Amino acid sequence: MSSAAAHRFDATILREYDIRGILGRTLGEADARALGRAFAIPVLEGGGKRVAVGRDGRLSSPALERELVAGLAESGIDVLRIGLGPTPMLYFASATAGVDGAIMVTGSHNPPDHNGFKIVLRGKSFYGPDIQRLGTIAATGAFRSGAGKVTSAELLDAYVARLLQDYDGKRALTVVWDAGNGATGEALVRLAAKLPGRHVLLNEKIDGTFPAHHPDPTEPETLRQLQATVAAEHADLGIAFDGDGDRIGVVDAKGRILWGDQLMTVLAADLVRTRPGATIIADVKASQVLFDEIARIGGTPLMWRTGHSIIKSKMAETGAPLAGEMSGHIFYADRYYGYDDALYAAVRLLGILGRSSETLASLRDRLPQVVNTPELRFPCADERKFAVVAEVRDRLRQAKAEMADIDGVRVRTKDGWWLLRASNTQAVLVARAEARDQQGLERLKSALVAELGRSGITPPKF
Ligand SMILES: [Zn+2]
């Protein structure tokens, strides 16, 4: 063990699920170097030696990647550089390239001046206290020294071939794709060239300034161009990716958005047909319709905490072949590796639709009709947010309300349900409600507002 220069990360960048900061303000090249040196410790402790590194298309990513690789190598780690591509391609390297860890340089869907890192150790998400420990290692400068080998591999074709291997459609479709100038662009060009059907590509040129729109398919305004093109091309559906390709957005032929839970009902129905009884996981924000549908078709629904790292861990623990989040992270362990890969989810969706006589629009119309709010996010201080949720939970428990409290509180009434949880990544509270009809929804919203009022919080109107 050698004690090289210690390094202090800005306290805001070591987050629950990843490392993320703003260039020149909270994140710089010295942080990437120190991350490489610090991450080498848990890799070496576990008897590991080799780490894969990938990067997205942000303007700051090449420099961060260079320093990260240098930090790993000077700590004695052999580095496999896989270059520019989506985050799931880095996960693919982690699963198949014989490495002990993997780090993606990516700012995901965030603005151009943001960037960060997603980390895997021995095939598992590296998050929570593991990330905090990197801060401790760096602060003490307890690094190791060595001379790791650095090699490069071109993985894009192998990754795209693996995606195509599981395409099982029979009917060719017309699909509009929007890569949002994110890191999926080149993979998408190669994928679409080999899939049957007609494919119209939007914003497939990787450009870290994101000139067309923000690459976040949970924001409805980012899907306008996709919706318009689906209509103009008379396409069967449209598919969008976030900046690093671990989240998907889908619109049907009528231009309607399928939210993460609605998409999951389509994917789950197909999966349970081949794997009766299978456990299917969705996060606490998902519609009751999804959980009820999974049970109705003979699957085993499991509601779990929000967060891609947490969901992946729960899948590994339960052996669930499919999981999904409202945010558009979709995880397949059925025929695949159990990580969130939006391109893979797209291939499976096209297979389902290509084997079905029904359109996506009609599958969507067959779902039980409910009314719900979008996800409402409103500011609440980090020091206060968890306490507010705990107070609400304690009052409801006293009142003997029917609720799940695995992640915030999700309360069921005869009208439907409402959710209140604290974000793990931002100083915000998150709320959502869903009912069978509008009057029921108003009652749920009133109950939620009243509960927040008892803790001195006035949410914005929703
Ligand atoms: Zn992402």
Side-chain angles (χ1 to χ4, degrees):
M1 192 151 305
S2 76
S3 187
H7 179 86
R8 204 164 286 281
F9 294 109
D10 186 285
T12 59
I13 72 171
L14 301 178
R15 298 156 19 113
E16 179 68 14
Y17 310 126
D18 52 26
I19 296 173
R20 204 183 287 167
I22 303 171
L23 265 301
R25 282 174 53 193
T26 59
L27 180 67
E29 293 169 23
D31 296 301
R33 187 91 170 216
L35 170 62
R37 300 223 64 180
F39 183 63
I41 302 295
V43 173
L44 294 165
E45 279 172 355
K49 176 77 178 143
R50 197 156 176 256
V51 171
V53 173
R55 65 173 171 91
D56 72 10
R58 283 166 193 267
L59 304 181
S60 59
S61 293
L64 292 177
E65 190 254 11
R66 185 192 66 226
E67 292 302 310
L68 172 64
V69 168
L72 288 162
E74 71 196 5
S75 305
I77 298 288
D78 293 339
V79 184
L80 177 68
R81 300 177 63 205
I82 66 163
L84 174 59
T87 293
M89 185 173 93
L90 190 271
Y91 294 154
F92 175 70
S94 169
T96 63
V99 294
D100 308 294
I103 302 183
M104 182 73 187
V105 181
T106 179
S108 189
H109 58 279
N110 291 286
D113 59 339
H114 291 229
N115 214 331
F117 307 90
K118 289 179 179 166
I119 307 174
V120 178
L121 180 61
R122 290 184 283 279
K124 296 197 172 71
S125 295
F126 187 87
Y127 68 103
D130 291 336
I131 288 181
Q132 295 307 316
R133 188 179 166 226
L134 296 178
T136 310
I137 294 169
T140 57
F143 301 132
R144 296 202 202 174
S145 293
K149 277 203 312 282
V150 178
T151 52
S152 296
E154 166 58 51
L155 268 193
L156 202 51
D157 282 329
Y159 169 63
V160 170
R162 180 61 189 85
L163 297 174
L164 284 161
Q165 183 187 315
D166 286 355
Y167 174 75
D168 54 5
K170 295 193 166 64
R171 183 167 63 92
L173 302 166
T174 297
V175 187
V176 182
W177 305 79
D178 188 346
N181 302 107
T184 56
E186 186 54 34
L188 175 59
V189 168
R190 297 185 196 196
L191 178 67
K194 297 216 166 132
L195 279 169
R198 190 165 75 85
H199 300 275
V200 180
L201 271 49
L202 301 173
N203 310 314
E204 74 276 20
K205 190 171 171 299
I206 297 175
D207 182 339
T209 66
F210 306 115
H213 57 72
H214 197 59
D216 181 357
T218 50
E219 295 290 337
E221 59 271 27
T222 72
L223 296 173
R224 298 244 163 82
Q225 188 187 4
L226 182 66
Q227 290 165 318
T229 313
V230 165
E233 298 284 343
H234 303 287
D236 294 289
L237 73 160
I239 296 173
F241 301 122
D242 82 329
D244 67 330
D246 58 4
R247 295 193 296 121
I248 188 171
V250 175
V251 303
D252 69 13
K254 296 180 182 171
R256 297 174 302 182
I257 298 169
L258 271 84
W259 299 108
D261 48 4
Q262 295 171 319
L263 173 61
M264 274 295 287
T265 57
V266 175
L267 304 179
D270 178 69
L271 189 112
V272 171
R273 260 194 291 279
T274 56
R275 296 177 74 155
T279 297
I280 295 175
I281 303 174
D283 70 333
V284 287
K285 295 180 196 168
S287 171
Q288 193 58 41
V289 170
L290 171 58
F291 298 106
D292 292 347
E293 277 294 295
I294 293 168
R296 189 184 65 78
I297 59 181
T300 309
L302 176 61
M303 186 188 291
W304 198 239
R305 293 163 59 200
T306 292
H308 67 92
S309 305
I310 292 169
I311 296 274
K312 271 178 278 206
S313 296
K314 194 67 180 173
M315 280 184 93
E317 177 196 325
T318 58
L322 174 65
E325 290 191 276
M326 274 305 284
S327 56
H329 287 276
I330 305 285
F331 317 74
Y332 266 100
D334 172 65
R335 291 148 59 185
Y336 205 56
Y337 306 98
Y339 52 72
D340 36 347
D341 185 336
L343 292 100
Y344 185 78
V347 167
R348 293 292 291 258
L349 175 64
L350 296 185
I352 292 166
L353 298 174
R355 281 180 279 117
S356 170
S357 53
E358 257 188 291
T359 65
L360 183 59
S362 84
L363 289 172
R364 184 199 146 107
D365 286 334
R366 275 207 286 116
L367 295 176
Q369 296 303 304
V370 289
V371 286
N372 48 34
T373 67
E375 185 179 325
L376 177 73
R377 303 172 72 85
F378 51 96
C380 180
D382 276 322
E383 309 81 66
R384 182 83 182 108
K385 63 185 184 185
F386 290 109
V388 169
V389 173
E391 289 162 21
V392 169
R393 185 195 58 218
D394 291 348
R395 283 195 295 270
L396 290 165
R397 193 172 279 154
Q398 268 205 327
K400 300 205 169 4
E402 186 187 343
M403 67 172 168
D405 60 357
I406 47 169
D407 183 0
V409 285
R410 178 164 163 144
V411 184
R412 271 187 97 155
T413 76
K414 60 181 180 357
D415 289 317
W417 58 272
W418 60 265
L419 170 77
L420 177 71
R421 65 181 287 273
S423 167
N424 281 318
T425 55
Q426 290 171 288
V428 297
L429 287 168
V430 180
R432 198 179 181 214
E434 175 180 275
R436 270 181 294 280
D437 55 40
Q438 196 59 41
Q439 291 94 323
L441 190 64
E442 294 307 321
R443 281 191 291 272
L444 291 169
K445 280 158 59 175
S446 300
L448 172 54
V449 169
E451 272 306 333
L452 283 166
R454 283 178 201 116
S455 283
I457 303 279
T458 311
K461 206 171 150 36
F462 72 111

